[in-house]
Amino acid sequence: MKKAFILAAMLICAGLNAQELEQAASQEPAQATSLEAKQNESQAVSKTEESKKSYPHQHAIEITTGYPSLVFQSEFAWINTRIEASRDGQKFKEYYQPGLNIGYTFSWGKRWELSALANVHLTIYDTLQYPEIPSTGSKKEYDKTADPTRIDRTVNVWGSISAAVRFKWIVRESFSMYSALGIGTSFHFPFPIPYVAPVGIKFGKGKVYGLAEVNVSAANTFGMVGLGVRL
């Protein structure tokens, strides 16, 4: 009787151990799958954080200023020549005001940016009159050695839009250099105007950064400088 009891107890223990082994075996694939999923999730989060550190923004607003485009200046020169030739005793002067540029940039990857730019600037036209010299003849004479008096002033507003692709050939944490190529047009002279920037510089790693660019475009001649805000 005693031997039978011991034998039954051993069989019960063996059955329990077999059940535990079977349960453990069935749980191992699920645990392995869960562990693998956690590892993949951790790697994805790590890559996202690394990407955010490497490329701190995708969108930015840039406000810059620069000398007006040569497109407008050539037209001014033609107007100047025509008026001086047709009005005796008068002098025409024009003043080019620095333009205001408002731009938007979209960054993708480490080295590429798409830039869109809207420009507006003022030009002031002054008509000056030299004093008349008293004469007895029928033809009027003017003293062009004296200072002329302004008799008329006209202010014109000019505008343009441009778009360009930037390629950063030097990228650092707080500094980058790039070149840009694109196209634009003026609201007053609606024909394509190339946008060429052989070199541009961006500096600053916070939300606000500085910008300087050498370019010839529908917006500027020689270049532009200003600030940008990362969104």
Side-chain angles (χ1 to χ4, degrees):
M1 185 70 179
K2 185 176 181 182
K3 290 181 179 181
F5 179 76
I6 293 173
L7 181 60
M10 291 176 64
L11 289 173
I12 292 171
C13 288
L16 291 175
N17 289 335
Q19 289 179 359
E20 291 176 358
L21 290 173
E22 185 177 353
Q23 289 177 358
S26 64
Q27 289 176 358
E28 280 182 1
Q31 291 177 351
T33 303
S34 177
L35 181 60
E36 184 178 356
K38 288 181 179 178
Q39 289 177 346
N40 292 337
E41 184 179 354
S42 177
Q43 290 176 357
V45 171
S46 177
K47 288 181 179 179
T48 302
E49 291 178 352
E50 182 180 353
S51 176
K52 287 181 179 179
K53 289 179 181 178
S54 301
Y55 321 120
H57 76 290
Q58 279 191 312
H59 309 277
I61 299 296
E62 296 176 350
I63 300 177
T64 56
T65 185
Y67 199 69
S69 173
L70 283 172
V71 174
F72 306 110
Q73 295 176 42
S74 62
E75 179 70 9
F76 300 156
W78 179 80
I79 293 173
N80 185 16
T81 303
R82 183 185 62 166
I83 290 181
E84 287 197 356
S86 62
R87 295 183 183 177
D88 192 18
Q90 293 184 353
K91 180 180 179 181
F92 183 83
K93 291 185 68 175
E94 61 272 353
Y95 306 91
Y96 311 119
Q97 303 299 311
L100 174 65
N101 307 317
I102 300 178
Y104 164 79
T105 64
F106 173 77
S107 302
W108 75 95
K110 186 178 180 181
R111 296 187 179 273
W112 294 96
E113 286 185 349
L114 177 63
S115 172
L117 184 73
N119 162 270
V120 63
H121 69 270
L122 303 179
T123 55
I124 300 174
Y125 305 85
D126 281 351
T127 302
L128 309 176
Q129 178 71 56
Y130 288 105
E132 186 177 347
I133 299 175
S135 65
T136 56
S138 59
K139 185 178 180 180
K140 293 182 179 180
E141 296 183 2
Y142 301 92
D143 183 5
K144 294 190 176 181
T145 62
D147 292 331
T149 302
R150 189 181 74 199
I151 60 173
D152 184 58
R153 166 165 284 187
T154 302
V155 179
N156 280 356
V157 180
W158 305 84
S160 67
I161 53 174
S162 303
V165 175
R166 296 175 179 173
F167 174 73
K168 301 178 188 175
W169 35 276
I170 295 180
V171 180
R172 299 291 184 268
E173 185 178 359
S174 59
F175 173 82
S176 65
M177 296 185 71
Y178 64 88
S179 297
L181 186 64
I183 197 166
T185 189
S186 162
F187 298 128
H188 296 80
F189 308 106
F191 55 85
I193 304 170
Y195 186 113
V196 180
V199 61
I201 302 172
K202 294 171 69 173
F203 49 92
K205 60 181 180 179
K207 287 192 68 72
V208 179
Y209 60 92
L211 171 73
E213 181 180 297
V214 177
N215 72 29
V216 176
S217 66
N220 303 290
T221 298
F222 309 129
M224 61 184 186
V225 294
L227 296 174
V229 179
R230 296 182 174 101
L231 304 179

